[in-house]
Amino acid sequence: MDEREFFDEKQEKKTANLNCPHCHQAAEYEITWLVRTKKRNLPGRADERDRARFAKARSYMLRKDDMMACKNLRCRKRFEISGVQSVAFTD
Ligand SMILES: [Zn+2]
């Protein structure tokens, strides 16, 4: 059974304060996350192994965005998101 079947999936936007490494200006950016919330119950066809994996599974979110475009109009360079973790557990 695929791990994805353990979770309900949705996209969420969260704001983060980021510093552009080119112009060093800080601004608020909306980062898209994929939120995977653990289901209450496993689908019926799960076997023993699936149940063991499901028991250990935790809700988490994955950062989808890697790059942001600087909001400073005189800069507008793209930069990599750093300082924001790419995976976070939510329970
Ligand atoms: Zn910049």
Side-chain angles (χ1 to χ4, degrees):
M1 184 176 282
D2 194 87
E3 193 216 43
R4 279 163 186 255
E5 296 192 50
F6 298 169
F7 301 98
D8 291 318
E9 209 174 83
K10 64 170 191 258
Q11 281 198 20
E12 242 175 58
K13 283 188 184 283
K14 294 184 186 290
T15 48
N17 208 294
L18 301 174
N19 274 299
C20 169
H22 306 289
C23 66
H24 303 287
Q25 189 160 301
E28 294 249 297
Y29 292 88
E30 286 221 308
I31 302 178
T32 307
W33 293 79
L34 195 65
V35 181
R36 293 200 172 132
T37 308
K38 189 177 172 180
K39 289 178 180 170
R40 282 170 157 264
N41 298 299
L42 259 180
R45 59 201 169 75
D47 61 19
E48 277 306 305
R49 264 188 58 213
D50 293 328
R51 269 191 281 274
R53 283 163 65 213
F54 184 72
K56 275 189 242 162
R58 293 170 64 192
S59 302
Y60 66 104
M61 46 187 220
L62 274 176
R63 178 158 54 75
K64 285 198 83 188
D65 290 322
D66 289 323
M67 301 289 287
M68 284 287 143
C70 180
K71 285 187 174 175
N72 178 356
L73 296 177
R74 282 164 303 178
C75 173
R76 301 184 93 162
K77 288 191 178 125
R78 285 169 68 76
F79 63 91
E80 213 169 306
I81 299 174
S82 55
V84 179
Q85 63 203 126
S86 56
V87 179
F89 288 101
T90 53
D91 60 0

